[in-house]
Amino acid sequence: MFPFLLLFTSKEKYYPQFFFLARVWAKIILYGMGFYPIVKKLETPQKGKSYMFVANHTSMTDIMLMLSIVKNPFVFVGKKELAKFPMFGFFYKRTCILVDRGNVKSRQEVFQQAQRRLNQGVSICIFPEGGVPDDESVLLDTFKDGAFRLAIDHQIPIVPLVFFDNKKRFSYTFFSGSVGKMRAKILPFFSTENLDQSHKRVLKEKVRAAIYTELEQKETSA
């Protein structure tokens, strides 16, 4: 797929074609590793509309599962450090919005890049925990502000997703995991219409509570 990836990452206008290939790649990886995505949708994103997709983050397979189940083209906002990885970093820099969390100017540039991509009809995806919790026992870490600030600034709905099985299937603890189902759930959307930054904290906690409740119910029933 390298020649096509190289072509479709050469210009931003080709991003929908790159996104299609990325979804094919994600499904090949998941099914090839013995994982079977199953998604339940309580609300469905509309074609041609931009959203802020957010989900809990527990595994390296979160990226592939997100690509596999979301059809609306979206751009990941991710850590600048990941651009250092050979090959992956090359395409990562060309297709994602990179943020250096220790640099205020970098965070400001993220908003400008997000605005440009939203104007192109592309959605944004952020894992609001900012990374995988250091403590494996943590069900859901605290959320950072970035996704909610962006969603309010650009008046786009927030789409919460819950990944139930990714940690169990393929965690960051090596020599653990198993093949099987990877269940995901798209929760009802949160509107940002007529909200301003004074509502950011409440909105963030509502979205986190919705995801946490789903995860807690799953843990209780397990």
Side-chain angles (χ1 to χ4, degrees), residues 30-216:
L30 291 178
Y31 283 105
M33 294 176 70
F35 305 139
Y36 307 96
I38 299 174
V39 59
K40 181 177 181 180
K41 300 178 181 180
L42 301 186
E43 192 168 352
T44 303
Q46 298 176 22
K47 184 178 180 180
K49 190 171 181 179
S50 293
Y51 299 91
M52 173 65 70
F53 294 100
V54 299
N56 56 311
H57 196 20
T58 59
S59 169
M60 289 180 275
T61 57
D62 295 341
I63 291 173
M64 283 80 90
L65 186 58
M66 184 72 77
L67 286 166
S68 176
I69 65 178
V70 175
K71 296 181 180 179
N72 297 55
F74 63 81
V75 173
F76 284 107
V77 175
K79 296 182 291 187
K80 184 179 180 180
E81 293 84 352
L82 295 178
K84 297 176 182 178
F85 286 93
M87 188 62 71
F88 171 83
F90 175 77
F91 292 109
Y92 181 72
K93 288 187 292 185
R94 292 159 71 100
T95 58
C96 298
I97 298 174
L98 309 188
V99 58
D100 180 355
R101 292 177 189 154
N103 188 323
V104 175
K105 184 179 179 181
S106 174
R107 295 201 299 269
Q108 293 172 344
E109 290 173 351
V110 166
F111 289 92
Q112 296 172 2
Q113 293 181 57
Q115 179 68 72
R116 188 177 73 251
R117 303 314 294 267
L118 289 167
N119 288 340
Q120 296 167 358
V122 177
S123 296
I124 305 293
C125 176
I126 297 178
F127 295 108
E129 293 169 276
V132 176
D134 293 331
D135 186 347
E136 283 280 325
S137 66
V138 173
L139 199 60
L140 188 66
D141 213 340
T142 55
F143 280 7
K144 293 181 168 50
D145 292 342
F148 308 96
R149 188 185 304 124
L150 276 170
I152 291 173
D153 273 355
H154 301 301
Q155 295 288 284
I156 56 175
I158 296 174
V159 181
L161 294 93
V162 188
F163 298 158
F164 295 103
D165 305 305
N166 292 23
K167 180 186 287 188
K168 179 171 65 176
R169 297 285 172 248
F170 197 82
S171 75
Y172 277 81
T173 302
F174 287 98
F175 305 112
S176 66
S178 62
V179 299
K181 294 184 293 185
M182 267 188 170
R183 294 168 298 162
K185 193 172 187 179
I186 299 179
L187 304 182
F189 305 167
F190 286 81
S191 174
T192 59
E193 189 176 355
N194 298 322
L195 298 187
D196 58 36
Q197 293 303 324
S198 67
H199 300 96
K200 178 182 62 185
R201 182 177 178 181
V202 173
L203 177 63
K204 178 177 67 173
E205 292 307 318
K206 284 183 177 179
V207 174
R208 186 183 182 279
I211 295 176
Y212 184 85
T213 299
E214 292 289 334
L215 291 171
E216 190 176 39

